[in-house]
């Protein structure tokens, strides 16, 4: 009997566990259906699908574009005001915007199944930039952020054609991600902090200090230049750690999920699934020329070779864009001219979008409306002529 009881115990436990799991699954489905019915009116319609359908309505799209336009223009004005009038508060200004924008981007990208983009290097550098704002005494962290922000992040505006398109929240957020960390490091490098201290007092601009006042160093010794390790070694360590974590998440932690759902977007899938242009086209030509890829072979998101090529290319790009950063760190005017150049590139890309893409759509819509208006005018003219003819006929009969 004891042997029989011991042998039946695991079966009883399994039966109870299965019953509990089935009950929990049933209750979960019941609760989910009630929530869907309350929010969407139909228990079979997912909330995310209802929200996506609502956001794609024409009046909602128009409203969101107007809100994005107002935010984009307001942000440019506020950025200019804070950076020129109170540069010591620009880091806090960046942090105030970063949190809401990243939350909004996550939810919009999640709905578009593109939230794995937020694992890219630019988001990691933005997070590190926010940490350096909160702990300004960490000079080594600031210098690492300075190199990465003014190197690969700033040059990405030119390479990936970031643009200032006011009515597009997605484009203005992308520009914020790539443009604001360089501006934050510019303000922290050349102007005193909120405590009246500076990374390098002898380089601090006297325009924002009281006459006769002495600026104390924020760190000891003062961070007046970049050593080789600070300009290249530690930023590369940051990059390698990020790359390892990125591959761990996309290939190990969430690898099965990504392989089972080809609709989920990542940076590699985006570049591999589209016709190569710009840097991707140049890399493809070089790989074919040196024999790494066959003449007719293209990039594939599932190919280890393509993944290795993109990793190497991004590493080379990061190293090359870090080379000028010591010159930017050592000269105010060089740094300012570089940021003005990057800003003009973004504005130029935005003007290209408005005049080549948006204007063409506007002209097409204008022609369609004017054609419709012309048709209405012709109908109105014909109706007026007919009425005039009938009136003339009636008058002629009365005269007779």
């Amino acid at each position: 009997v004891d042997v029989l009881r011991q042998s039946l115990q695991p079966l009883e436990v399994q039966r109870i566990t299965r019953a509990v799991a089935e009950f929990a699954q049933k209750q979960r489905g019941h609760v989910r259906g009630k929530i869907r019915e309350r929010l969407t009116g139909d228990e079979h319609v997912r909330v995310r699908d209802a929200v996506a359908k609502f956001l794609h309505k024409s009046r909602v799209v128009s409203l969101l574009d107007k809100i994005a336009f107002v935010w984009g223009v307001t942000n440019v004005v506020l950025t200019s005001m804070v950076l020129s009038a109170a540069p010591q508060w620009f880091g806090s200004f960046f942090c105030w915007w970063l949190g809401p924008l990243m939350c909004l981007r996550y939810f919009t990208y999640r709905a578009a199944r593109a939230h794995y983009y937020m694992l890219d290097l630019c988001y990691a550098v933005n997070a590190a930039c926010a940490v350096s704002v909160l702990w300004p005494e960490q000079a080594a962290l600031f210098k690492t952020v300075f190199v990465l922000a003014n190197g690969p992040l700033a040059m990405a505006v030119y390479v990936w054609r970031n643009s200032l398109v006011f009515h597009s929240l997605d484009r203005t957020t992308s520009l914020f991600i790539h443009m604001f960390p360089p501006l934050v490091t510019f303000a922290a490098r050349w102007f005193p902090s909120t405590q009246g201290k500076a990374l390098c007092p002898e380089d601090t601009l006297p325009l924002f200090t009281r006459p006769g006042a002495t600026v104390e160093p924020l760190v000891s010794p003062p961070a007046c230049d970049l050593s080789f390790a600070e300009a290249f070694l530690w930023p590369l360590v940051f990059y390698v750690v990020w790359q390892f974590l990125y591959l761990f998440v996309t290939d190990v932690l969430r690898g099965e999920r990504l392989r089972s759902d080809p609709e989920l977007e990542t940076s590699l899938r985006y570049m591999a699934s589209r016709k190569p242009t710009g840097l991707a086209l140049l890399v493809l030509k070089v790989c074919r020329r040196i024999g790494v890829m066959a003449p007719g072979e293209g990039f594939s998101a599932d190919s280890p070779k393509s993944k290795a090529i993109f990793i190497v290319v991004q590493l080379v790009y990061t190293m090359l864009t870090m080379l000028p950063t010591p010159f930017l760190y050592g000269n105010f005017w060089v740094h300012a001219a570089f940021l003005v150049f990057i800003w003009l590139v973004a504005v130029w890309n935005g003007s290209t979008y408005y005049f080549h893409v948006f204007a063409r759509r506007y002209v097409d819509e204008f022609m369609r409306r004017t054609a419709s208006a012309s048709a209405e005018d012709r109908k109105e003219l014909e109706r007026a002529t007919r009425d005039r003819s009938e009136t003339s006929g009636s008058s002629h009969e009365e005269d007779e």
Side-chain angles (χ1 to χ4, degrees):
V1 173
D2 292 339
V3 172
L4 182 61
R5 185 183 298 112
Q6 292 176 4
S7 62
L8 291 177
Q9 260 185 341
L11 297 177
E12 186 68 16
V13 171
Q14 291 178 6
R15 188 182 66 81
I16 295 175
T17 304
R18 190 181 304 110
V20 171
E22 292 176 355
F23 177 79
Q25 183 68 23
K26 183 178 180 180
Q27 292 301 315
R28 190 183 301 115
H30 177 73
V31 173
R32 185 188 299 117
K34 288 296 183 182
I35 294 175
R36 288 177 177 177
E37 185 177 5
R38 180 63 62 88
L39 296 178
T40 67
D42 188 347
E43 64 177 5
H44 301 293
V45 177
R46 297 187 304 178
V47 176
R48 72 184 69 171
D49 296 335
V51 172
K53 183 178 180 180
F54 174 78
L55 292 177
H56 281 82
K57 290 182 178 180
S58 58
R59 59 185 179 86
V60 177
V61 172
S62 177
L63 176 63
L64 293 178
D65 286 346
K66 292 178 183 178
I67 294 174
F69 187 90
V70 172
W71 176 83
V73 175
T74 304
N75 190 36
V76 170
V77 175
L78 291 178
T79 299
S80 303
M81 291 176 58
V82 175
L83 189 60
S84 58
Q88 68 272 21
W89 292 104
F90 194 80
S92 301
F93 178 72
F94 161 75
C95 292
W96 293 339
W97 278 118
L98 183 66
L101 285 178
M102 291 303 98
C103 292
L104 185 60
R105 166 146 289 195
Y106 174 78
F107 287 115
T108 54
Y109 273 25
R110 176 87 179 185
R113 306 179 68 78
H115 50 287
Y116 285 97
Y117 283 140
M118 300 188 71
L119 297 175
D120 288 349
L121 178 65
C122 53
Y123 295 93
V125 175
N126 273 263
C129 184
V131 173
S132 70
V133 170
L134 298 176
W135 284 278
E137 297 83 4
Q138 301 297 324
L141 175 62
F142 171 78
K143 291 180 179 181
T144 300
V145 172
F146 183 96
V147 172
L148 293 172
N150 292 275
L153 241 68
M155 288 304 299
V157 175
Y158 175 80
V159 174
W160 303 117
R161 299 184 60 81
N162 286 161
S163 54
L164 182 62
V165 179
F166 288 117
H167 76 278
S168 174
L169 183 61
D170 182 62
R171 287 184 172 87
T172 51
T173 303
S174 296
L175 184 60
F176 174 92
I177 292 170
H178 293 93
M179 194 71 203
F180 260 61
L183 293 176
V184 170
T185 56
F186 176 82
R189 172 66 180 93
W190 303 109
F191 302 105
S193 65
T194 54
Q195 296 87 9
K197 300 179 180 180
L199 289 168
C200 183
E202 62 187 60
D203 291 341
T204 302
L205 295 185
L207 181 63
F208 295 95
T209 56
R210 294 188 303 273
T214 59
V215 180
E216 298 180 2
L218 184 64
V219 294
S220 181
C224 296
D225 53 12
L226 289 176
S227 65
F228 177 82
E230 294 168 338
F232 300 104
L233 180 60
W234 296 123
L236 280 179
V237 170
F238 183 98
Y239 173 83
V240 170
V241 171
W242 163 81
Q243 185 69 84
F244 173 79
L245 294 175
Y246 181 88
L247 293 175
F248 176 75
V249 173
T250 56
D251 289 5
V252 180
L253 197 62
R254 305 293 292 174
E256 187 63 30
R257 170 67 173 158
L258 286 168
R259 285 188 289 270
S260 62
D261 192 351
E263 294 185 359
L264 287 173
E265 282 282 356
T266 63
S267 297
L268 178 58
R269 285 184 175 180
Y270 176 83
M271 290 184 286
S273 62
R274 283 155 178 79
K275 183 179 179 180
T277 57
L279 181 61
L281 182 60
L282 176 62
V283 171
L284 182 61
K285 290 181 178 179
V286 172
C287 290
R288 287 175 177 175
R289 182 177 294 274
I290 63 178
V292 175
M293 302 185 72
E297 186 180 2
F299 294 122
S300 174
D302 299 326
S303 170
K305 182 194 296 186
S306 297
K307 186 174 296 186
I309 290 174
F310 278 107
I311 291 174
V312 172
V313 168
Q314 189 168 14
L315 175 61
V316 173
Y317 163 80
T318 302
M319 295 176 65
L320 290 178
T321 54
M322 289 192 308
L323 292 177
T325 53
F327 301 100
L328 305 180
Y329 194 89
N331 190 286
F332 168 83
W333 296 109
V334 174
H335 195 186
F338 173 75
L339 294 181
V340 170
F341 167 74
I342 296 298
W343 176 253
L344 291 177
V345 169
V347 174
W348 179 265
N349 292 339
S351 67
T352 302
Y353 173 85
Y354 274 117
F355 287 103
H356 290 182
V357 179
F358 184 78
R360 187 182 301 113
R361 296 175 183 173
Y362 175 79
V363 169
D364 292 341
E365 179 67 14
F366 179 79
M367 295 299 293
R368 186 186 66 80
R369 291 182 178 181
T370 53
S372 176
S374 300
E376 291 293 332
D377 291 341
R378 285 195 298 270
K379 291 180 180 179
E380 186 66 26
L381 180 60
E382 292 174 358
R383 188 182 304 111
T385 303
R386 185 172 58 254
D387 293 342
R388 198 162 43 246
S389 300
E390 293 176 356
T391 303
S392 299
S394 302
S395 300
H396 183 64
E397 291 176 357
E398 291 175 359
D399 291 341
E400 290 181 347

